[in-house]
Amino acid sequence: MTTLPQSMFATVLLHDGFTGSPTGPYIDDAGDWLAEAELPVPEPGPGQVLIKLRAASVNPSDIHFIKGEYGQPRVKGAAAGFEGCGDVVATGKGAEALQDQRVAFVTGGSGAWAEYVLAPAIMCIPLRPEISDEDGAAQIVNPLTAMAMVDIARASGNAFVLSAATSQLGKLMCSLGHDLGLKPIALVRRPETVEALKELGAAEVLVTTHPNVVQDFSQICRELKPRVFLDAVVDQLSEQVFCAMPNQARWICYGKLSAEAPTLTQSGQLIFMGKQIEGFWLTNWVTSTPPEDQARVVAEVQARFADGRWKTDISERLSLKALVPNLASELQKSGGKVIITP
Ligand SMILES: NC(=O)c1ccc[n+]([C@@H]2O[C@H](COP(=O)([O-])OP(=O)(O)OC[C@H]3O[C@@H](n4cnc5c(N)ncnc54)[C@H](OP(=O)(O)O)[C@@H]3O)[C@@H](O)[C@H]2O)c1
């Protein structure tokens, strides 16, 4: 049995609850939201495990959360961070089977941006040895969301639209869609990313800053008839994209990368064309999907990372102690995740 220290280094939340004025997953200075702290190493309760961190990822949801604009309230002084990978060093009652396993996890009672993390056993996935710690640190939130949302798209036709397609999740969905014989229609904001997305599997790539983007998209809609729009941006262009789609189309909002509040300009789209606007949140998928279906999805995710069909692009690695001073500037880089190491 490993002897555990009494205390640990952690990056903690500076504020409680929710903000009344969300501004999106961007920060100028992490010190406005986070602080460094020495915390007691937590003890796992029933159904929980204590994990010694190997690597944690920084997702847009982490930034929404530290700013008080995510789907759960902040607790001042608690460690930040939702997702990572590490070794189970202690277990509570009922979670003994995970002792000493290397797992991907999503946190419960304490955050991932700390040397030790408490997680519910049901939110831990033992990792195949071929999967690196860095892929393990981004193994749950985006990959499960990609699997779930492409499944929704597949049920509604051969083509689907996705925004922010250069995000990690967008790239996973382009390649998965292509592998399943679907035609992903990708929206990006940087022209220099078009070729890379086509190589990943996008059937069409449109640049949102191009003046003719809506006309070009309308033409593509006439040919490919996409009926699902997986949207992480949710701005006025998204509304125009939705309006250009064929009848019965579904605008599925799953992120809020733009702070702009879009206006619905044509209510007839909903009334006469049978279109729908809805949301997707992985948390709801996890609670509503039968365990055997989730196990199948998890196995497919690991297989895709193990054989190289999927990978996590990394823009920077930061140690826990370098996180607060450097996070804001590192998040400004495009092209990959910031990965945190102990
Ligand atoms: N609902 C759910 O359950 C769920 C689960 C997982 C993820 N998500 C959401 O999925 C989205 C992607 O997550 P991720 O981890 O894959 O993100 P990521 O890898 O960190 O990438 C985000 C990318 O989005 C692009 N972007 C940022 N702001 C934009 C804007 N205003 N307009 C257009 N593109 C913009 C940027 O790409 P460029 O710099 O290349 O343009 C940025 O690199 C986030 O909104 C996240 O919250 C939701």
PDB file of all heavy atoms in Angstrom, residues 26 59-61 64 141-142 145 164 166-169 189-190 232-233 254-258 280-282 334 337, ligand 1:
ATOM      1  N   TYR A  26     -12.851  32.283 -22.578  1.00  0.00           N
ATOM      2  CA  TYR A  26     -11.608  33.021 -22.833  1.00  0.00           C
ATOM      3  C   TYR A  26     -11.219  33.762 -21.562  1.00  0.00           C
ATOM      4  O   TYR A  26     -12.096  34.262 -20.855  1.00  0.00           O
ATOM      5  CB  TYR A  26     -11.816  34.018 -23.985  1.00  0.00           C
ATOM      6  CG  TYR A  26     -12.476  33.349 -25.160  1.00  0.00           C
ATOM      7  CD1 TYR A  26     -13.836  33.503 -25.389  1.00  0.00           C
ATOM      8  CD2 TYR A  26     -11.744  32.494 -25.987  1.00  0.00           C
ATOM      9  CE1 TYR A  26     -14.462  32.824 -26.425  1.00  0.00           C
ATOM     10  CE2 TYR A  26     -12.363  31.818 -27.021  1.00  0.00           C
ATOM     11  CZ  TYR A  26     -13.718  31.981 -27.246  1.00  0.00           C
ATOM     12  OH  TYR A  26     -14.318  31.299 -28.252  1.00  0.00           O
ATOM     13  N   ASN A  59     -10.141  21.926 -21.139  1.00  0.00           N
ATOM     14  CA  ASN A  59     -11.225  21.999 -22.121  1.00  0.00           C
ATOM     15  C   ASN A  59     -11.941  23.341 -21.992  1.00  0.00           C
ATOM     16  O   ASN A  59     -11.894  23.968 -20.926  1.00  0.00           O
ATOM     17  CB  ASN A  59     -12.240  20.878 -21.865  1.00  0.00           C
ATOM     18  CG  ASN A  59     -11.689  19.505 -22.209  1.00  0.00           C
ATOM     19  OD1 ASN A  59     -11.009  19.336 -23.226  1.00  0.00           O
ATOM     20  ND2 ASN A  59     -11.943  18.523 -21.364  1.00  0.00           N
ATOM     21  N   PRO A  60     -12.651  23.778 -23.055  1.00  0.00           N
ATOM     22  CA  PRO A  60     -13.453  24.994 -22.917  1.00  0.00           C
ATOM     23  C   PRO A  60     -14.400  24.934 -21.711  1.00  0.00           C
ATOM     24  O   PRO A  60     -14.620  25.940 -21.040  1.00  0.00           O
ATOM     25  CB  PRO A  60     -14.224  25.056 -24.244  1.00  0.00           C
ATOM     26  CG  PRO A  60     -13.306  24.388 -25.225  1.00  0.00           C
ATOM     27  CD  PRO A  60     -12.664  23.264 -24.456  1.00  0.00           C
ATOM     28  N   SER A  61     -14.931  23.735 -21.397  1.00  0.00           N
ATOM     29  CA  SER A  61     -15.843  23.634 -20.239  1.00  0.00           C
ATOM     30  C   SER A  61     -15.135  24.032 -18.940  1.00  0.00           C
ATOM     31  O   SER A  61     -15.756  24.613 -18.044  1.00  0.00           O
ATOM     32  CB  SER A  61     -16.400  22.214 -20.127  1.00  0.00           C
ATOM     33  OG  SER A  61     -15.360  21.272 -20.110  1.00  0.00           O
ATOM     34  N   HIS A  64     -15.215  27.864 -19.007  1.00  0.00           N
ATOM     35  CA  HIS A  64     -16.582  28.317 -18.669  1.00  0.00           C
ATOM     36  C   HIS A  64     -16.798  28.149 -17.153  1.00  0.00           C
ATOM     37  O   HIS A  64     -17.347  29.025 -16.494  1.00  0.00           O
ATOM     38  CB  HIS A  64     -17.630  27.458 -19.389  1.00  0.00           C
ATOM     39  CG  HIS A  64     -17.816  27.751 -20.855  1.00  0.00           C
ATOM     40  ND1 HIS A  64     -18.273  28.959 -21.325  1.00  0.00           N
ATOM     41  CD2 HIS A  64     -17.643  26.969 -21.955  1.00  0.00           C
ATOM     42  CE1 HIS A  64     -18.389  28.904 -22.653  1.00  0.00           C
ATOM     43  NE2 HIS A  64     -17.999  27.717 -23.056  1.00  0.00           N
ATOM     44  N   VAL A 141     -14.370  13.310 -22.285  1.00  0.00           N
ATOM     45  CA  VAL A 141     -15.316  14.396 -22.598  1.00  0.00           C
ATOM     46  C   VAL A 141     -15.511  14.532 -24.115  1.00  0.00           C
ATOM     47  O   VAL A 141     -16.636  14.393 -24.623  1.00  0.00           O
ATOM     48  CB  VAL A 141     -14.843  15.731 -21.971  1.00  0.00           C
ATOM     49  CG1 VAL A 141     -15.762  16.869 -22.398  1.00  0.00           C
ATOM     50  CG2 VAL A 141     -14.821  15.621 -20.450  1.00  0.00           C
ATOM     51  N   ASN A 142     -14.455  14.786 -24.840  1.00  0.00           N
ATOM     52  CA  ASN A 142     -14.626  14.986 -26.285  1.00  0.00           C
ATOM     53  C   ASN A 142     -14.907  13.687 -27.048  1.00  0.00           C
ATOM     54  O   ASN A 142     -15.800  13.663 -27.899  1.00  0.00           O
ATOM     55  CB  ASN A 142     -13.410  15.711 -26.876  1.00  0.00           C
ATOM     56  CG  ASN A 142     -13.457  17.207 -26.586  1.00  0.00           C
ATOM     57  OD1 ASN A 142     -14.533  17.784 -26.462  1.00  0.00           O
ATOM     58  ND2 ASN A 142     -12.304  17.831 -26.467  1.00  0.00           N
ATOM     59  N   THR A 145     -18.485  12.542 -26.508  1.00  0.00           N
ATOM     60  CA  THR A 145     -19.391  13.499 -27.157  1.00  0.00           C
ATOM     61  C   THR A 145     -19.377  13.296 -28.670  1.00  0.00           C
ATOM     62  O   THR A 145     -20.429  13.319 -29.330  1.00  0.00           O
ATOM     63  CB  THR A 145     -18.984  14.942 -26.800  1.00  0.00           C
ATOM     64  OG1 THR A 145     -18.982  15.063 -25.381  1.00  0.00           O
ATOM     65  CG2 THR A 145     -19.943  15.964 -27.376  1.00  0.00           C
ATOM     66  N   ALA A 164     -16.879  25.154 -35.718  1.00  0.00           N
ATOM     67  CA  ALA A 164     -15.619  25.071 -34.966  1.00  0.00           C
ATOM     68  C   ALA A 164     -14.927  23.737 -35.253  1.00  0.00           C
ATOM     69  O   ALA A 164     -14.461  23.040 -34.357  1.00  0.00           O
ATOM     70  CB  ALA A 164     -15.862  25.240 -33.464  1.00  0.00           C
ATOM     71  N   THR A 166     -12.165  22.896 -36.353  1.00  0.00           N
ATOM     72  CA  THR A 166     -10.749  22.688 -36.006  1.00  0.00           C
ATOM     73  C   THR A 166     -10.555  22.383 -34.526  1.00  0.00           C
ATOM     74  O   THR A 166      -9.438  22.131 -34.088  1.00  0.00           O
ATOM     75  CB  THR A 166      -9.907  23.936 -36.336  1.00  0.00           C
ATOM     76  OG1 THR A 166     -10.515  25.057 -35.662  1.00  0.00           O
ATOM     77  CG2 THR A 166      -9.827  24.190 -37.817  1.00  0.00           C
ATOM     78  N   SER A 167     -11.645  22.426 -33.738  1.00  0.00           N
ATOM     79  CA  SER A 167     -11.516  22.041 -32.324  1.00  0.00           C
ATOM     80  C   SER A 167     -11.163  20.557 -32.250  1.00  0.00           C
ATOM     81  O   SER A 167     -11.356  19.813 -33.225  1.00  0.00           O
ATOM     82  CB  SER A 167     -12.841  22.301 -31.597  1.00  0.00           C
ATOM     83  OG  SER A 167     -13.835  21.444 -32.122  1.00  0.00           O
ATOM     84  N   GLN A 168     -10.685  20.129 -31.081  1.00  0.00           N
ATOM     85  CA  GLN A 168     -10.372  18.708 -30.923  1.00  0.00           C
ATOM     86  C   GLN A 168     -11.617  17.864 -31.216  1.00  0.00           C
ATOM     87  O   GLN A 168     -11.566  16.886 -31.954  1.00  0.00           O
ATOM     88  CB  GLN A 168      -9.875  18.450 -29.495  1.00  0.00           C
ATOM     89  CG  GLN A 168      -9.593  17.006 -29.153  1.00  0.00           C
ATOM     90  CD  GLN A 168      -8.419  16.395 -29.911  1.00  0.00           C
ATOM     91  OE1 GLN A 168      -7.564  17.102 -30.445  1.00  0.00           O
ATOM     92  NE2 GLN A 168      -8.383  15.075 -29.982  1.00  0.00           N
ATOM     93  N   LEU A 169     -12.757  18.283 -30.670  1.00  0.00           N
ATOM     94  CA  LEU A 169     -14.000  17.547 -30.888  1.00  0.00           C
ATOM     95  C   LEU A 169     -14.397  17.571 -32.367  1.00  0.00           C
ATOM     96  O   LEU A 169     -14.821  16.551 -32.927  1.00  0.00           O
ATOM     97  CB  LEU A 169     -15.096  18.169 -30.011  1.00  0.00           C
ATOM     98  CG  LEU A 169     -16.500  17.611 -30.061  1.00  0.00           C
ATOM     99  CD1 LEU A 169     -16.528  16.106 -29.948  1.00  0.00           C
ATOM    100  CD2 LEU A 169     -17.325  18.235 -28.950  1.00  0.00           C
ATOM    101  N   ARG A 189     -13.018  28.996 -39.093  1.00  0.00           N
ATOM    102  CA  ARG A 189     -12.853  30.454 -39.240  1.00  0.00           C
ATOM    103  C   ARG A 189     -11.496  30.812 -39.847  1.00  0.00           C
ATOM    104  O   ARG A 189     -11.267  31.948 -40.191  1.00  0.00           O
ATOM    105  CB  ARG A 189     -13.056  31.143 -37.903  1.00  0.00           C
ATOM    106  CG  ARG A 189     -12.113  30.705 -36.822  1.00  0.00           C
ATOM    107  CD  ARG A 189     -12.371  31.447 -35.513  1.00  0.00           C
ATOM    108  NE  ARG A 189     -11.388  31.026 -34.513  1.00  0.00           N
ATOM    109  CZ  ARG A 189     -11.299  31.518 -33.307  1.00  0.00           C
ATOM    110  NH1 ARG A 189     -12.141  32.440 -32.915  1.00  0.00           N
ATOM    111  NH2 ARG A 189     -10.379  31.078 -32.467  1.00  0.00           N
ATOM    112  N   ARG A 190     -10.583  29.824 -39.944  1.00  0.00           N
ATOM    113  CA  ARG A 190      -9.234  30.124 -40.478  1.00  0.00           C
ATOM    114  C   ARG A 190      -9.027  29.375 -41.790  1.00  0.00           C
ATOM    115  O   ARG A 190      -9.018  28.137 -41.818  1.00  0.00           O
ATOM    116  CB  ARG A 190      -8.163  29.711 -39.463  1.00  0.00           C
ATOM    117  CG  ARG A 190      -8.173  30.587 -38.210  1.00  0.00           C
ATOM    118  CD  ARG A 190      -7.031  30.263 -37.268  1.00  0.00           C
ATOM    119  NE  ARG A 190      -7.080  28.900 -36.763  1.00  0.00           N
ATOM    120  CZ  ARG A 190      -6.106  28.013 -36.886  1.00  0.00           C
ATOM    121  NH1 ARG A 190      -4.986  28.322 -37.505  1.00  0.00           N
ATOM    122  NH2 ARG A 190      -6.232  26.803 -36.382  1.00  0.00           N
ATOM    123  N   ALA A 232     -21.027  24.400 -32.011  1.00  0.00           N
ATOM    124  CA  ALA A 232     -20.351  24.813 -30.773  1.00  0.00           C
ATOM    125  C   ALA A 232     -20.162  26.322 -30.711  1.00  0.00           C
ATOM    126  O   ALA A 232     -19.658  26.825 -29.720  1.00  0.00           O
ATOM    127  CB  ALA A 232     -18.986  24.129 -30.674  1.00  0.00           C
ATOM    128  N   VAL A 233     -20.553  27.026 -31.780  1.00  0.00           N
ATOM    129  CA  VAL A 233     -20.301  28.475 -31.826  1.00  0.00           C
ATOM    130  C   VAL A 233     -21.555  29.256 -31.426  1.00  0.00           C
ATOM    131  O   VAL A 233     -21.525  30.099 -30.524  1.00  0.00           O
ATOM    132  CB  VAL A 233     -19.805  28.901 -33.229  1.00  0.00           C
ATOM    133  CG1 VAL A 233     -19.585  30.401 -33.286  1.00  0.00           C
ATOM    134  CG2 VAL A 233     -18.502  28.165 -33.568  1.00  0.00           C
ATOM    135  N   TYR A 254     -24.245  22.728 -28.734  1.00  0.00           N
ATOM    136  CA  TYR A 254     -23.569  21.974 -27.664  1.00  0.00           C
ATOM    137  C   TYR A 254     -22.401  22.749 -27.069  1.00  0.00           C
ATOM    138  O   TYR A 254     -21.702  22.234 -26.184  1.00  0.00           O
ATOM    139  CB  TYR A 254     -23.113  20.598 -28.173  1.00  0.00           C
ATOM    140  CG  TYR A 254     -21.976  20.655 -29.155  1.00  0.00           C
ATOM    141  CD1 TYR A 254     -20.656  20.595 -28.722  1.00  0.00           C
ATOM    142  CD2 TYR A 254     -22.224  20.777 -30.515  1.00  0.00           C
ATOM    143  CE1 TYR A 254     -19.610  20.668 -29.620  1.00  0.00           C
ATOM    144  CE2 TYR A 254     -21.175  20.852 -31.414  1.00  0.00           C
ATOM    145  CZ  TYR A 254     -19.874  20.799 -30.958  1.00  0.00           C
ATOM    146  OH  TYR A 254     -18.835  20.881 -31.847  1.00  0.00           O
ATOM    147  N   GLY A 255     -22.158  23.970 -27.508  1.00  0.00           N
ATOM    148  CA  GLY A 255     -21.081  24.785 -26.942  1.00  0.00           C
ATOM    149  C   GLY A 255     -21.437  26.239 -27.135  1.00  0.00           C
ATOM    150  O   GLY A 255     -22.440  26.568 -27.790  1.00  0.00           O
ATOM    151  N   LYS A 256     -20.633  27.134 -26.553  1.00  0.00           N
ATOM    152  CA  LYS A 256     -20.912  28.579 -26.715  1.00  0.00           C
ATOM    153  C   LYS A 256     -19.577  29.294 -26.868  1.00  0.00           C
ATOM    154  O   LYS A 256     -19.143  30.063 -26.012  1.00  0.00           O
ATOM    155  CB  LYS A 256     -21.710  29.087 -25.502  1.00  0.00           C
ATOM    156  CG  LYS A 256     -22.296  30.476 -25.741  1.00  0.00           C
ATOM    157  CD  LYS A 256     -23.411  30.481 -26.779  1.00  0.00           C
ATOM    158  CE  LYS A 256     -23.877  31.897 -27.135  1.00  0.00           C
ATOM    159  NZ  LYS A 256     -23.263  32.460 -28.352  1.00  0.00           N
ATOM    160  N   LEU A 257     -18.927  29.018 -28.021  1.00  0.00           N
ATOM    161  CA  LEU A 257     -17.611  29.620 -28.252  1.00  0.00           C
ATOM    162  C   LEU A 257     -17.732  31.100 -28.590  1.00  0.00           C
ATOM    163  O   LEU A 257     -16.785  31.857 -28.390  1.00  0.00           O
ATOM    164  CB  LEU A 257     -16.880  28.863 -29.370  1.00  0.00           C
ATOM    165  CG  LEU A 257     -16.432  27.446 -28.991  1.00  0.00           C
ATOM    166  CD1 LEU A 257     -15.964  26.671 -30.219  1.00  0.00           C
ATOM    167  CD2 LEU A 257     -15.327  27.485 -27.939  1.00  0.00           C
ATOM    168  N   SER A 258     -18.877  31.516 -29.121  1.00  0.00           N
ATOM    169  CA  SER A 258     -19.096  32.943 -29.380  1.00  0.00           C
ATOM    170  C   SER A 258     -19.947  33.525 -28.260  1.00  0.00           C
ATOM    171  O   SER A 258     -20.898  32.891 -27.808  1.00  0.00           O
ATOM    172  CB  SER A 258     -19.823  33.124 -30.713  1.00  0.00           C
ATOM    173  OG  SER A 258     -20.343  34.439 -30.796  1.00  0.00           O
ATOM    174  N   PHE A 280     -27.258  19.680 -26.609  1.00  0.00           N
ATOM    175  CA  PHE A 280     -26.664  18.391 -26.235  1.00  0.00           C
ATOM    176  C   PHE A 280     -25.685  18.652 -25.103  1.00  0.00           C
ATOM    177  O   PHE A 280     -24.848  19.566 -25.187  1.00  0.00           O
ATOM    178  CB  PHE A 280     -25.918  17.747 -27.423  1.00  0.00           C
ATOM    179  CG  PHE A 280     -25.223  16.467 -27.023  1.00  0.00           C
ATOM    180  CD1 PHE A 280     -25.879  15.245 -27.139  1.00  0.00           C
ATOM    181  CD2 PHE A 280     -23.937  16.485 -26.474  1.00  0.00           C
ATOM    182  CE1 PHE A 280     -25.256  14.071 -26.720  1.00  0.00           C
ATOM    183  CE2 PHE A 280     -23.320  15.310 -26.051  1.00  0.00           C
ATOM    184  CZ  PHE A 280     -23.972  14.106 -26.186  1.00  0.00           C
ATOM    185  N   TRP A 281     -25.766  17.830 -24.043  1.00  0.00           N
ATOM    186  CA  TRP A 281     -24.779  17.906 -22.947  1.00  0.00           C
ATOM    187  C   TRP A 281     -24.399  16.478 -22.576  1.00  0.00           C
ATOM    188  O   TRP A 281     -25.278  15.657 -22.284  1.00  0.00           O
ATOM    189  CB  TRP A 281     -25.371  18.639 -21.735  1.00  0.00           C
ATOM    190  CG  TRP A 281     -24.360  19.014 -20.689  1.00  0.00           C
ATOM    191  CD1 TRP A 281     -23.027  19.214 -20.873  1.00  0.00           C
ATOM    192  CD2 TRP A 281     -24.606  19.252 -19.300  1.00  0.00           C
ATOM    193  NE1 TRP A 281     -22.427  19.571 -19.685  1.00  0.00           N
ATOM    194  CE2 TRP A 281     -23.372  19.610 -18.705  1.00  0.00           C
ATOM    195  CE3 TRP A 281     -25.749  19.215 -18.493  1.00  0.00           C
ATOM    196  CZ2 TRP A 281     -23.242  19.907 -17.345  1.00  0.00           C
ATOM    197  CZ3 TRP A 281     -25.612  19.519 -17.148  1.00  0.00           C
ATOM    198  CH2 TRP A 281     -24.379  19.861 -16.572  1.00  0.00           C
ATOM    199  N   LEU A 282     -23.111  16.183 -22.590  1.00  0.00           N
ATOM    200  CA  LEU A 282     -22.642  14.818 -22.325  1.00  0.00           C
ATOM    201  C   LEU A 282     -23.163  14.300 -20.983  1.00  0.00           C
ATOM    202  O   LEU A 282     -23.472  13.112 -20.853  1.00  0.00           O
ATOM    203  CB  LEU A 282     -21.108  14.768 -22.369  1.00  0.00           C
ATOM    204  CG  LEU A 282     -20.506  13.380 -22.190  1.00  0.00           C
ATOM    205  CD1 LEU A 282     -20.882  12.448 -23.341  1.00  0.00           C
ATOM    206  CD2 LEU A 282     -18.984  13.452 -22.044  1.00  0.00           C
ATOM    207  N   SER A 334      -3.741  28.284 -31.356  1.00  0.00           N
ATOM    208  CA  SER A 334      -4.686  27.390 -32.022  1.00  0.00           C
ATOM    209  C   SER A 334      -4.034  26.026 -32.204  1.00  0.00           C
ATOM    210  O   SER A 334      -2.822  25.887 -32.118  1.00  0.00           O
ATOM    211  CB  SER A 334      -5.048  27.937 -33.403  1.00  0.00           C
ATOM    212  OG  SER A 334      -5.928  29.025 -33.289  1.00  0.00           O
ATOM    213  N   LYS A 337      -4.680  21.020 -27.544  1.00  0.00           N
ATOM    214  CA  LYS A 337      -5.001  21.137 -26.122  1.00  0.00           C
ATOM    215  C   LYS A 337      -3.803  21.588 -25.300  1.00  0.00           C
ATOM    216  O   LYS A 337      -2.663  21.224 -25.600  1.00  0.00           O
ATOM    217  CB  LYS A 337      -5.386  19.763 -25.565  1.00  0.00           C
ATOM    218  CG  LYS A 337      -6.688  19.240 -26.061  1.00  0.00           C
ATOM    219  CD  LYS A 337      -7.805  19.727 -25.182  1.00  0.00           C
ATOM    220  CE  LYS A 337      -9.105  19.739 -25.897  1.00  0.00           C
ATOM    221  NZ  LYS A 337      -9.973  20.840 -25.575  1.00  0.00           N
TER     222      LYS A 337
HETATM  223  N1  LIG B   1     -22.074  19.788 -24.683  1.00  0.00           N
HETATM  224  C1  LIG B   1     -21.150  18.898 -24.388  1.00  0.00           C
HETATM  225  O1  LIG B   1     -21.418  17.878 -23.760  1.00  0.00           O
HETATM  226  C2  LIG B   1     -19.744  19.149 -24.834  1.00  0.00           C
HETATM  227  C3  LIG B   1     -18.769  18.165 -24.652  1.00  0.00           C
HETATM  228  C4  LIG B   1     -17.483  18.417 -25.121  1.00  0.00           C
HETATM  229  C5  LIG B   1     -17.166  19.646 -25.707  1.00  0.00           C
HETATM  230  N2  LIG B   1     -18.145  20.578 -25.818  1.00  0.00           N
HETATM  231  C6  LIG B   1     -17.885  21.863 -26.488  1.00  0.00           C
HETATM  232  O2  LIG B   1     -17.299  21.587 -27.739  1.00  0.00           O
HETATM  233  C7  LIG B   1     -16.532  22.711 -28.152  1.00  0.00           C
HETATM  234  C8  LIG B   1     -15.171  22.244 -28.617  1.00  0.00           C
HETATM  235  O3  LIG B   1     -14.460  21.688 -27.510  1.00  0.00           O
HETATM  236  P1  LIG B   1     -12.939  21.240 -27.708  1.00  0.00           P
HETATM  237  O4  LIG B   1     -12.442  20.731 -26.421  1.00  0.00           O
HETATM  238  O5  LIG B   1     -12.838  20.368 -28.897  1.00  0.00           O
HETATM  239  O6  LIG B   1     -12.284  22.655 -28.017  1.00  0.00           O
HETATM  240  P2  LIG B   1     -10.761  23.023 -28.384  1.00  0.00           P
HETATM  241  O7  LIG B   1     -10.050  21.840 -28.921  1.00  0.00           O
HETATM  242  O8  LIG B   1     -10.208  23.730 -27.225  1.00  0.00           O
HETATM  243  O9  LIG B   1     -10.934  24.005 -29.603  1.00  0.00           O
HETATM  244  C9  LIG B   1     -11.732  25.137 -29.600  1.00  0.00           C
HETATM  245  C10 LIG B   1     -11.543  25.749 -30.974  1.00  0.00           C
HETATM  246  O10 LIG B   1     -12.719  26.377 -31.409  1.00  0.00           O
HETATM  247  C11 LIG B   1     -12.403  27.418 -32.301  1.00  0.00           C
HETATM  248  N3  LIG B   1     -13.119  28.626 -31.880  1.00  0.00           N
HETATM  249  C12 LIG B   1     -12.978  29.310 -30.741  1.00  0.00           C
HETATM  250  N4  LIG B   1     -13.795  30.367 -30.704  1.00  0.00           N
HETATM  251  C13 LIG B   1     -14.460  30.357 -31.867  1.00  0.00           C
HETATM  252  C14 LIG B   1     -15.451  31.193 -32.417  1.00  0.00           C
HETATM  253  N5  LIG B   1     -15.924  32.265 -31.767  1.00  0.00           N
HETATM  254  N6  LIG B   1     -15.899  30.890 -33.641  1.00  0.00           N
HETATM  255  C15 LIG B   1     -15.440  29.814 -34.300  1.00  0.00           C
HETATM  256  N7  LIG B   1     -14.518  28.969 -33.807  1.00  0.00           N
HETATM  257  C16 LIG B   1     -14.034  29.250 -32.617  1.00  0.00           C
HETATM  258  C17 LIG B   1     -10.898  27.638 -32.228  1.00  0.00           C
HETATM  259  O11 LIG B   1     -10.297  27.066 -33.371  1.00  0.00           O
HETATM  260  P3  LIG B   1      -9.360  27.919 -34.372  1.00  0.00           P
HETATM  261  O12 LIG B   1      -8.470  28.751 -33.515  1.00  0.00           O
HETATM  262  O13 LIG B   1      -8.686  26.847 -35.143  1.00  0.00           O
HETATM  263  O14 LIG B   1     -10.301  28.741 -35.198  1.00  0.00           O
HETATM  264  C18 LIG B   1     -10.507  26.841 -30.996  1.00  0.00           C
HETATM  265  O15 LIG B   1      -9.225  26.305 -31.072  1.00  0.00           O
HETATM  266  C19 LIG B   1     -16.505  23.670 -26.953  1.00  0.00           C
HETATM  267  O16 LIG B   1     -17.479  24.664 -27.143  1.00  0.00           O
HETATM  268  C20 LIG B   1     -16.898  22.766 -25.801  1.00  0.00           C
HETATM  269  O17 LIG B   1     -17.476  23.487 -24.724  1.00  0.00           O
HETATM  270  C21 LIG B   1     -19.416  20.354 -25.397  1.00  0.00           C
END
